[in-house]
Amino acid sequence: MIAFEHVGKRYGGRFEALANLDFRVRRGEMVFLTGHSGAGKSSLLRLIMRLERPTRGRVLVAGHDIDRLHPTQVPFYRRQIGVVFQDHQLLFDRSIFHNVALPLEIQGIEPREAARRVRAALDKVGLLHREKALPIELSGGEQQRVGIARAVVNKPALLLADEPTGNLDPQLSADIMTLFEDFHRIGTTVMIASHDLALITRLRHRTLRLHDGRLVADEEAA
Amino acid sequence: MSRDAAPARGARTHRTTAGSRWRGWLRHHRAMCLDSARRLLVHPLGSLMTMLAIAIALVLPAGLWLTLDSARLLDAELEQSATLTLYLEHGIGEDEARRLEATVAAEAGVAGTRLVTAAEGMAEFQQALGLSDALHRLDENPLPASIVVRPRDPSPEVVRAQAERLGELAGIDEVRLDLAWLERLRHLAALGQRVILALGVLFGLGVLLVVGNTIRLAVENRRQEIEVVTLIGATHAFVRRPFLYSGAWFGLGGGLLACGLLVLGRDWLSAPVTALAASYGANFRLPALGMEGSAILLACSTLLGWLGAWITVSRHLAGIRPR
């Protein structure tokens, strides 16, 4: 599903964020990405989302070199990836329902079909009863679940998450991870960047460990 | 991924997909059109100020253009009254004068002639100057008979050539044509046209800047929203759309206000202008914008608003990169 071939990324010609990354993620796999802050986890995810382009090597997603995508194709590429952010990136001037509906609105999905899918996604994260609420009325954990609902409403084949449990207490973090495992179970490729080592160790999935932009360990689930 | 990996499903499926995409596109246009109008109404005073700024920028060139347009009508009317006067040599009798008039009337390019005999000329002169007493004291009539010629084509070049030709006829002493002021008017009109064009371009740029500045603020206010929708796969067109509609609304509102201001201005000025024209013996009325003029003004202002928004949003989108 994802293949990094000797990928390097420099910022401003000097700072080397990522160096010689070489790994593959199979379709349907669930992978943790870990390392100290500044190790390059976010840069790696940004490369997959094509928010950045590698300065060396190739990034292949579903067999396509995404560096070769024409700028006009990039939005259509991004629609096939669900992304969950640490700070949720919700729009605070619209309801939970409309936040989750946003990806479908962008794709011009017919409203009735969109409403059906939004409710299914909200139901999955246990927030169907809050669809009319505004994000500000929700707790941090609930906001993150809205972010997850928005990421999966489109049924993406690839789900990326950048520190999805960063601001949550251990119990809520565990709940969120359980949600990701559910999506992994139905065949979605899931990649989660996190520095919550205790949680990662407990969950037993493949773990890529970055240190100063280099891949220092690739541990299969024990 | 699924786009490339999707198996070929045949034409029927593809057609419905294209159809639903088209409907989705229309739906978004409709939604953004209404949404941007709603956003204008949320801040009525601010929106009104922007529209007023646009209106003021539009009123001056539009008003000048209207004035020039009516001056051109006046010009055409004056050209109709452009005539040549052929003064006949002294001592030419009335019979011969009539024969000469017939000759002149037969010339090419002559639309009509009128013979003014020496006696008639004297009567007109007396009436015009109110000098009957002084003129009565003259022993004989010093005025020659004349033929007033109305040319078919009143343009100065043609009339001048015609005057030369007619001057060569036997029995004609002198040809008078008063074209200088007509030409001056024409030069003035040409000058006015250029000034208005320049003003129009300048004030059009002004409208672009006003709309651009307003839209720039709107883009900054919705920066986070733009970042989020870009992250989840919005095209530039999708992001731009609400702002383009805002720009068009601003332009349309400004155009409507400009139309209103022009109507008010016409009412305000029409009485003194008509009185002034009447004192010159002219029947001149201030021109109205009319349906066609209003439609052109509104179309231009809406287009300018849209264009201003397009330039600004395109410039800013390049600078907004999701974190």
Side-chain angles (χ1 to χ4, degrees):
Chain A
M1 188 68 179
I2 304 172
F4 273 56
E5 296 180 350
H6 306 288
V7 173
K9 175 68 189 172
R10 278 169 187 276
Y11 288 101
R14 293 176 62 90
F15 176 64
E16 196 163 40
L18 296 172
N20 202 24
L21 287 184
D22 205 72
F23 65 87
R24 276 162 197 282
V25 174
R26 287 181 303 277
R27 195 175 287 274
E29 217 176 344
M30 180 156 173
V31 180
F32 281 114
L33 192 60
T34 183
H36 61 95
S37 86
K41 303 189 293 286
S42 294
S43 294
L44 195 155
L45 293 181
R46 287 172 72 87
L47 282 175
I48 299 174
M49 289 161 68
R50 207 182 180 278
L51 288 167
E52 308 283 357
R53 299 167 76 163
T55 37
R56 285 192 57 214
R58 296 199 304 167
V59 177
L60 295 129
V61 177
H64 296 282
D65 181 352
I66 59 170
D67 197 38
R68 295 231 184 122
L69 287 175
H70 190 270
T72 55
Q73 293 175 310
V74 171
F76 300 95
Y77 164 73
R78 287 198 191 130
R79 289 175 193 183
Q80 297 166 38
I81 305 175
V83 189
V84 179
F85 306 89
Q86 178 176 2
D87 53 358
H88 330 311
Q89 297 275 21
L90 301 179
L91 299 181
F92 283 86
D93 62 344
R94 41 186 103 186
S95 68
I96 300 309
F97 180 92
H98 283 111
N99 265 285
V100 176
L102 204 56
L104 304 175
E105 195 189 314
I106 286 171
Q107 291 181 49
I109 304 288
E110 192 260 322
R112 211 174 320 151
E113 167 69 7
R116 196 184 61 73
R117 288 206 221 166
V118 169
R119 299 222 164 85
L122 280 174
D123 192 30
K124 178 74 197 126
V125 299
L127 284 173
L128 189 52
H129 60 293
R130 303 302 306 269
E131 66 170 27
K132 289 197 176 68
L134 289 173
I136 201 78
E137 300 165 29
L138 268 53
S139 70
E142 286 174 321
Q143 288 186 6
Q144 191 55 285
R145 272 145 66 191
V146 175
I148 293 172
R150 188 182 66 190
V152 301
V153 71
N154 211 14
K155 300 198 187 86
L158 174 60
L159 187 56
L160 303 178
D162 192 359
E163 302 283 0
T165 61
N167 298 325
L168 305 178
D169 64 49
Q171 182 53 48
L172 284 172
S173 301
D175 290 351
I176 296 287
M177 286 302 177
T178 310
L179 269 176
F180 283 118
E181 286 190 306
D182 288 348
F183 291 114
H184 161 58
R185 213 162 289 133
I186 57 168
T188 309
T189 311
V190 183
M191 191 171 206
I192 302 169
S194 173
H195 60 256
D196 190 345
L197 283 175
L199 191 62
I200 290 171
T201 319
R202 194 147 45 84
L203 286 172
R204 296 171 181 278
H205 289 287
R206 183 180 164 194
T207 306
L208 299 171
R209 197 181 307 279
L210 292 176
H211 186 85
D212 285 342
R214 284 165 206 281
L215 190 60
V216 291
D218 185 349
E219 295 148 2
E220 283 296 334
Chain B
M1 277 174 285
S2 65
R3 224 172 156 222
D4 301 294
R9 284 181 196 153
R12 211 172 69 89
T13 319
H14 186 77
R15 198 161 53 229
T16 50
T17 310
S20 74
R21 202 173 297 161
W22 163 246
R23 277 196 300 279
W25 183 82
L26 274 185
R27 200 160 43 235
H28 190 244
H29 266 276
R30 200 168 49 231
M32 288 304 105
C33 183
L34 294 175
D35 181 67
S36 56
R38 193 178 53 75
R39 280 174 196 270
L40 292 196
L41 295 177
V42 171
H43 305 288
L45 203 65
S47 306
L48 197 68
M49 300 268 253
T50 304
M51 289 177 186
L52 205 57
I54 295 169
I56 290 168
L58 289 172
V59 157
L60 193 64
L64 283 176
W65 180 76
L66 273 181
T67 316
L68 189 81
D69 206 40
S70 62
R72 208 176 300 134
L73 281 179
L74 200 65
D75 184 36
E77 207 171 279
L78 286 168
E79 280 190 347
Q80 288 308 307
S81 69
T83 52
L84 290 166
T85 309
L86 314 180
Y87 292 100
L88 308 187
E89 284 168 5
H90 267 289
I92 285 185
E94 200 171 324
D95 291 344
E96 206 183 338
R98 290 210 184 282
R99 244 195 338 275
L100 255 174
E101 188 197 357
T103 318
V104 171
E107 283 277 321
V110 174
T113 56
R114 181 167 69 91
L115 179 68
V116 182
T117 61
E120 284 166 352
M122 191 64 178
E124 277 181 19
F125 193 45
Q126 278 174 0
Q127 207 180 10
L129 295 181
L131 293 172
S132 53
D133 293 347
L135 291 171
H136 270 305
R137 277 182 221 132
L138 295 173
D139 293 335
E140 62 174 294
N141 185 352
L143 296 177
S146 59
I147 301 170
V148 179
V149 176
R150 197 153 47 77
R152 194 160 279 149
D153 179 354
S155 61
E157 305 76 38
V158 176
V159 174
R160 194 168 288 126
Q162 203 164 34
E164 270 176 36
R165 216 167 43 248
L166 293 173
E168 283 161 13
L169 288 175
I172 307 277
D173 185 29
E174 200 188 340
V175 181
R176 274 282 170 81
L177 72 168
D178 216 0
L179 288 171
W181 62 274
L182 246 185
E183 286 204 320
R184 260 178 231 137
L185 197 68
R186 202 182 290 258
H187 291 320
L188 268 177
L191 178 69
Q193 241 164 354
R194 291 200 176 192
V195 169
I196 286 167
L197 192 67
L199 279 177
V201 170
L202 281 178
F203 282 82
L205 281 176
V207 171
L208 288 186
L209 289 178
V210 169
V211 173
N213 199 40
T214 309
I215 297 296
R216 189 177 59 80
L217 291 175
V219 170
E220 280 306 320
N221 283 337
R222 294 173 72 180
R223 196 185 183 93
Q224 196 230 350
E225 182 182 342
I226 294 174
E227 287 177 0
V228 171
V229 296
T230 309
L231 278 175
I232 56 182
T235 57
H236 274 191
F238 183 93
V239 174
R240 224 183 274 135
R241 206 162 289 146
F243 299 108
L244 296 187
Y245 272 107
S246 298
W249 282 123
F250 277 127
L252 184 66
L256 283 171
L257 281 175
C259 284
L261 285 177
L262 284 172
V263 169
L264 277 180
R266 183 172 181 271
D267 280 356
W268 173 246
L269 295 177
S270 83
V273 165
T274 311
L276 185 70
S279 76
Y280 279 103
N283 184 25
F284 178 74
R285 288 167 152 275
L286 273 181
L289 199 52
M291 284 296 280
E292 199 187 337
S294 311
I296 291 173
L297 183 61
L298 289 181
C300 285
S301 65
T302 308
L303 203 68
L304 277 174
W306 180 88
L307 189 66
W310 199 90
I311 293 170
T312 312
V313 177
S314 300
R315 237 171 51 87
H316 274 71
L317 276 189
I320 294 180
R321 300 192 58 206
R323 280 168 285 130

